Amino acid sequence: MFDPKKFYTCYSNSLQVKILHIHCCSFAKRKPNESMKFIVIFFFGGFLGLFIGLSLPTFSTTKLNLPSSLLPSIDLSCIRGSNAWSFVKNDDSASSENHNPSKIWVPTNPRGSERLPPGIVNAQSDFFLRRLWGLPSEDLTSKPKYLVTFTVGYQQKNNIDAAVKKFSKDFTILLFHYDGRTTEWDEFEWSKRAIHVSAHKQTKWWYAKRFLHPDIVASYEYIFMWDEDLGVENFNAEEYLKLVKKHGLEISQPALEPQKGLIWNMTKRRNDSEVHKEAQEKPGKCKYPLLPPCAAFVEIMAPVFSRDAWRCVWHMIQNEFVHGWGLDFAFRKCVEPAHEKIGVVDAQWIVHQGIPSLGDQGEAQTGKPAWRAVKERCGMEWRMFQGRLTNAEKGYYKSKGIDFSNLLVHN
């Protein structure tokens, strides 16, 4: 729509500029009385143009026919900004939502839903199973408050069966199947109320990026993302969450029973505490005591995230990186202060059995066994992730004009 008020105002302003140019050039040559006369005429013409512009109603540009010789002398930017000529071309589709009150346009809606009235927008979902009959409001007798996921192969069915039984009906059970075998799990009664997602030879971080979007899991207070090779004899999920809430942990994991092959002291179980948030490592491993792996650190085998922490972590997962190596050193980016909100629960512990099932899903490469090719991919992803994260932070600080030489170490 073209607004004549703006048009005439801009046109009069354009004329004023030309008049001002003419008279300023000859101002010195004129007598004082003549100069005053021109000044009065100048301002009178400006007010007259403004009055005419305000007195006319708004009408459609399709009814406006202007000679082309007139258009170049008008400052059209007053009317439509950078799209000054669009009113002549009768092209106002780009901003019709903003100017036509009969069409719905809500910029605060989620991206892509701006044309919908807010009352119908439902931006979140869940994994609650529903009936095919009856009233939707009567589908759920209770709503699970937590989500636990396992990435599994059928060979580990007994291990997963034992683990699932440690989680009450307050948990939604979600199995990601990397071997394509799903129906066989129906031998377990709990499997009938679980969610099963299957894709051959994929990892839990591949699944997480595609099926655990924060708006999908927003109904759950905590999200457990666990491997399949965890011994849970000394673990109780409800008691675990009590300690997590008590100690204010946003990202956590159960402590690991000390055994051969344990890599980090931070995740090793302690007998004298409920929770610990810091650890001593071997010399040279922890230059900064409040940074990983001596603090603000849990491993990727059995992490537990609060709803808010997961919303941040999900966005940090790189779409093409499937192993997740390096994420555990970067979890701290998503909570503040990280050394207080990331910790290990000693009073509820697990055993990492170290079953190399994932390596068996790889393929031999140029004489290397399958497990070796998988491990090399893990290391490569870690290095690439570290490089991306560092470059992203440098780019951010540089764009803000901030000296980042010391910031990247501590942030």
Side-chain angles (χ1 to χ4, degrees):
M1 297 291 293
F2 169 69
D3 189 346
K5 297 177 183 178
K6 295 182 180 179
F7 173 80
Y8 281 106
T9 300
C10 293
Y11 181 63
S12 63
N13 288 343
S14 299
L15 293 178
Q16 290 171 28
V17 172
K18 291 184 178 181
I19 293 172
L20 180 62
H21 175 73
I22 294 172
H23 290 295
C24 286
C25 292
S26 59
F27 184 83
K29 299 178 181 180
R30 298 186 181 277
K31 297 178 180 179
N33 289 339
E34 287 189 31
S35 299
M36 181 60 67
K37 183 188 302 181
F38 279 109
I39 291 174
V40 172
I41 294 174
F42 170 77
F43 282 104
F44 176 79
F47 283 115
L48 180 61
L50 178 62
F51 174 78
I52 294 174
L54 294 174
S55 63
L56 292 177
T58 301
F59 57 91
S60 172
T61 59
T62 58
K63 298 180 181 179
L64 178 66
N65 293 312
L66 296 175
S68 58
S69 60
L70 177 62
L71 295 175
S73 66
I74 302 173
D75 183 8
L76 299 177
S77 63
C78 297
I79 302 173
R80 293 296 297 273
S82 61
N83 295 322
W85 287 91
S86 62
F87 82 97
V88 179
K89 299 177 182 178
N90 192 30
D91 179 17
D92 36 42
S93 59
S95 57
S96 61
E97 296 86 353
N98 295 328
H99 295 278
N100 189 342
S102 66
K103 292 185 177 181
I104 294 174
W105 185 259
V106 186
T108 55
N109 278 359
R111 187 176 65 178
S113 66
E114 293 88 352
R115 289 180 172 82
L116 299 176
I120 199 63
V121 174
N122 198 333
Q124 298 178 347
S125 187
D126 53 60
F127 290 114
F128 302 154
L129 296 178
R130 294 184 174 273
R131 306 175 303 176
L132 305 184
W133 65 93
L135 293 174
S137 60
E138 298 176 356
D139 285 347
L140 305 175
T141 57
S142 64
K143 291 184 178 181
K145 296 186 293 184
Y146 317 112
L147 173 67
V148 57
T149 76
F150 296 95
T151 304
V152 303
Y154 187 64
Q155 290 184 343
Q156 304 304 321
K157 64 176 183 176
N158 293 328
N159 213 37
I160 295 300
D161 179 48
V164 168
K165 290 176 179 176
K166 294 290 184 173
F167 295 88
S168 70
K169 291 185 178 180
D170 276 337
F171 288 81
T172 293
I173 307 299
L174 174 55
L175 299 188
F176 296 130
H177 300 269
Y178 60 74
D179 61 356
R181 301 176 68 179
T182 57
T183 56
E184 292 92 330
W185 290 82
D186 284 347
E187 67 181 89
F188 303 111
E189 186 63 28
W190 55 260
S191 178
K192 298 175 183 178
R193 61 180 176 87
I195 309 295
H196 298 264
V197 179
S198 178
H200 281 275
K201 298 186 177 183
Q202 299 302 319
T203 70
K204 74 176 179 183
W205 298 105
W206 182 92
Y207 284 110
K209 190 65 175 178
R210 287 150 184 84
F211 297 100
L212 299 182
H213 186 279
D215 288 339
I216 300 297
V217 300
S219 297
Y220 304 105
E221 296 178 27
Y222 292 92
I223 298 98
F224 290 62
M225 288 189 57
W226 282 18
D227 289 353
E228 62 180 341
D229 57 344
L230 303 176
V232 293
E233 183 178 350
N234 298 291
F235 178 82
N236 179 284
E238 301 286 354
E239 294 300 318
Y240 177 88
L241 287 176
K242 288 180 182 178
L243 293 172
V244 164
K245 296 174 182 179
K246 176 182 176 180
H247 292 273
L249 300 180
E250 296 290 322
I251 301 176
S252 63
Q253 76 161 75
L256 298 177
E257 182 68 13
Q259 61 176 359
K260 184 179 179 180
L262 190 66
I263 299 177
W264 306 112
N265 286 335
M266 179 64 186
T267 55
K268 184 186 298 184
R269 179 188 169 223
R270 299 178 185 175
N271 296 319
D272 58 352
S273 66
E274 290 183 334
V275 167
H276 70 268
K277 301 178 182 180
E278 299 177 17
Q280 294 292 325
E281 274 291 349
K282 298 176 182 178
K285 282 195 173 182
C286 284
K287 184 177 181 181
Y288 302 98
L290 296 183
L291 294 182
C294 285
F297 177 75
V298 297
E299 297 188 61
I300 58 174
M301 72 178 71
V304 179
F305 304 95
S306 70
R307 180 193 292 118
D308 290 340
W310 176 247
R311 182 169 288 276
C312 173
V313 170
W314 184 88
H315 284 89
M316 189 167 56
I317 300 172
Q318 303 298 286
N319 191 60
E320 73 275 34
F321 294 171
V322 298
H323 292 290
W325 280 32
L327 279 175
D328 41 11
F329 280 76
F331 287 156
R332 64 191 178 89
K333 304 289 184 179
C334 288
V335 292
E336 181 68 31
H339 65 277
E340 294 181 5
K341 295 189 177 182
I342 299 179
V344 176
V345 179
D346 296 297
Q348 297 292 322
W349 72 93
I350 58 177
V351 175
H352 186 210
Q353 299 166 344
I355 300 173
S357 55
L358 191 61
D360 294 339
Q361 299 298 308
E363 293 183 2
Q365 298 289 320
T366 60
K368 299 176 183 177
W371 68 269
R372 172 62 68 182
V374 170
K375 190 171 183 179
E376 287 184 356
R377 169 71 179 258
C378 292
M380 177 181 62
E381 286 188 2
W382 190 353
R383 293 188 296 273
M384 292 175 69
F385 177 77
Q386 286 180 313
R388 284 189 189 182
L389 183 57
T390 299
N391 290 336
E393 290 182 324
K394 285 182 178 179
Y396 171 80
Y397 288 123
K398 186 176 181 180
S399 71
K400 300 295 183 180
I402 300 173
D403 180 11
F404 52 82
S405 57
N406 293 322
L407 289 173
L408 295 182
V409 175
H410 300 287
N411 288 344

